[in-house]
Amino acid sequence: MDFRFQQTVPAAWVDYNGHMNDAEYNRAFSQATDAFIDHIGLDEAARSEYNYTIFTLETHICYLQEMKEGQAFEITFRVLDYDQKRIHLFLSMYNAAGDLVATLEEMLMGIDVNEGRGAPFPEQIEEKIADIFKEQKGLEKPKQAGRVIGIRRK
Amino acid sequence: MDFRFQQTVPAAWVDYNGHMNDAEYNRAFSQATDAFIDHIGLDEAARSEYNYTIFTLETHICYLQEMKEGQAFEITFRVLDYDQKRIHLFLSMYNAAGDLVATLEEMLMGIDVNEGRGAPFPEQIEEKIADIFKEQKGLEKPKQAGRVIGIRRK
């Protein structure tokens, strides 16, 4: 999948530590996820037509490198897994030098807006997710996927 | 520890789904973490005096319930673990009815600002962290701590 999300760190995202604030990484990943949701066919018109949307159930971020104001970044997407109503998605954020600066692992769920609860993806959407999953299936599992937070002691 | 962080969902935090956007939960947790860092003695004056600050290494959020505009919430803090330079922190967000609406588990690291790398907590700060840890040690492990993201199949 060649689809990527590109952005530059605006001044408003920089905190007292002089770097992109942790919550703004989440914002960038959230905007990128919205772009991905559009990409698989669930743009505003489709969400309205299907009465269907996507909720985030769970996220896990690894902060690997600082980002400063004005620095460009690019986010790539990997469908690690999916079922009838969930997508296990992994996003990688790279700086202009190509260094991995942060990752987001997340579980998304398709929601029937009328019922306000999880419901199977519309057929065309599931086909698109399946296509991406098949295309990426051979790729290595990202190092930051499946992590548990904790202090390891010898 | 009686310290709590209180806030109300502003209109700007609501997205096209009509609820608090996922990235804004992270913002609320990030602001709460800043308040906690002040609480343990690392306020702006102390950060400047010690040339010391806190970076976030990793976060894991569970989204349990929607929050709407104007709804009040409260965040509580639990020190799950710590060492010389890291805090394994767990935040619980409750709505006005007392329901758990989201959790954030995170690993924080103390940073020597001059060196730009991890460094032991100033003595007074470590004592404060140790006090909170001891006080909370008997409490049950939060259900959402230590989670791995994934689709479980039978």
Side-chain angles (χ1 to χ4, degrees):
Chain A
M1 184 180 57
D2 282 335
F3 180 69
R4 281 151 192 262
F5 177 85
Q6 289 171 321
Q7 169 76 280
T8 298
V9 180
W13 289 11
V14 173
D15 67 13
Y16 61 80
N17 282 321
H19 60 201
M20 177 153 76
N21 180 256
D22 53 353
E24 304 299 353
Y25 282 78
N26 193 304
R27 174 181 305 280
F29 281 127
S30 178
Q31 289 176 354
T33 300
D34 281 346
F36 176 82
I37 291 168
D38 282 4
H39 176 74
I40 60 171
L42 275 174
D43 59 8
E44 198 175 345
R47 289 196 301 268
S48 170
E49 184 196 332
Y50 295 126
N51 271 305
Y52 194 85
T53 193
I54 302 284
F55 281 9
T56 304
L57 299 184
E58 195 169 359
T59 56
H60 189 119
I61 295 182
C62 294
Y63 298 90
L64 306 174
Q65 278 196 36
E66 295 177 89
M67 288 290 287
K68 301 289 171 78
E69 182 184 341
Q71 290 189 323
F73 61 85
E74 189 170 82
I75 293 174
T76 62
F77 302 86
R78 171 87 181 275
V79 175
L80 291 178
D81 197 4
Y82 73 101
D83 67 7
Q84 275 199 311
K85 45 188 170 185
R86 287 179 294 179
I87 309 173
H88 181 188
L89 194 64
F90 189 89
L91 281 62
S92 301
M93 183 188 291
Y94 296 94
N95 64 15
D99 301 320
L100 186 63
V101 295
T103 61
L104 173 87
E105 183 177 10
E106 64 186 338
M107 189 65 73
L108 303 175
M109 179 170 269
I111 300 286
D112 177 323
V113 173
N114 294 330
E115 301 283 335
R117 66 177 63 185
F121 296 112
E123 195 174 338
Q124 283 170 297
I125 308 302
E126 182 170 349
E127 279 171 17
K128 179 75 179 168
I129 299 165
D131 284 348
I132 298 171
F133 177 74
K134 269 179 225 152
E135 184 192 327
Q136 298 184 324
K137 211 175 175 178
L139 300 174
E140 209 175 335
K141 186 189 163 202
K143 191 180 149 197
Q144 292 80 12
R147 279 183 62 91
V148 173
I149 294 181
I151 296 175
R152 276 94 194 158
R153 291 185 172 83
K154 281 167 197 161
Chain B
M1 185 181 56
D2 282 336
F3 180 71
R4 280 150 192 264
F5 177 85
Q6 290 171 320
Q7 169 76 281
T8 297
V9 180
W13 289 12
V14 173
D15 67 13
Y16 61 81
N17 282 322
H19 61 201
M20 177 153 74
N21 181 256
D22 53 353
E24 305 298 354
Y25 283 78
N26 194 303
R27 174 181 306 279
F29 281 127
S30 177
Q31 290 176 353
T33 300
D34 281 346
F36 176 83
I37 291 168
D38 283 4
H39 175 73
I40 60 171
L42 275 173
D43 59 7
E44 198 176 343
R47 289 196 301 268
S48 170
E49 184 197 331
Y50 295 126
N51 269 307
Y52 194 85
T53 194
I54 302 283
F55 281 8
T56 305
L57 297 183
E58 196 167 1
T59 57
H60 190 120
I61 295 181
C62 293
Y63 298 91
L64 306 173
Q65 279 196 36
E66 294 177 89
M67 288 291 286
K68 301 289 170 77
E69 182 185 340
Q71 290 188 323
F73 60 85
E74 190 170 81
I75 293 174
T76 63
F77 302 86
R78 171 89 182 274
V79 175
L80 292 178
D81 197 4
Y82 74 100
D83 66 8
Q84 276 200 311
K85 46 188 170 184
R86 287 178 295 179
I87 308 173
H88 181 188
L89 194 65
F90 189 88
L91 280 64
S92 302
M93 183 188 292
Y94 297 93
N95 64 17
D99 302 320
L100 185 64
V101 295
T103 62
L104 173 86
E105 183 178 10
E106 63 185 339
M107 188 65 73
L108 303 175
M109 178 170 269
I111 300 286
D112 176 324
V113 173
N114 294 330
E115 300 284 333
R117 65 176 63 184
F121 296 112
E123 197 174 337
Q124 284 172 297
I125 308 303
E126 182 170 350
E127 279 171 17
K128 179 77 180 166
I129 299 166
D131 285 347
I132 299 171
F133 178 73
K134 269 179 225 150
E135 184 193 326
Q136 299 183 325
K137 210 174 174 179
L139 300 174
E140 208 175 336
K141 186 189 163 201
K143 191 180 149 199
Q144 292 80 13
R147 279 182 63 90
V148 172
I149 294 180
I151 296 174
R152 277 93 193 159
R153 292 184 171 84
K154 282 167 193 158

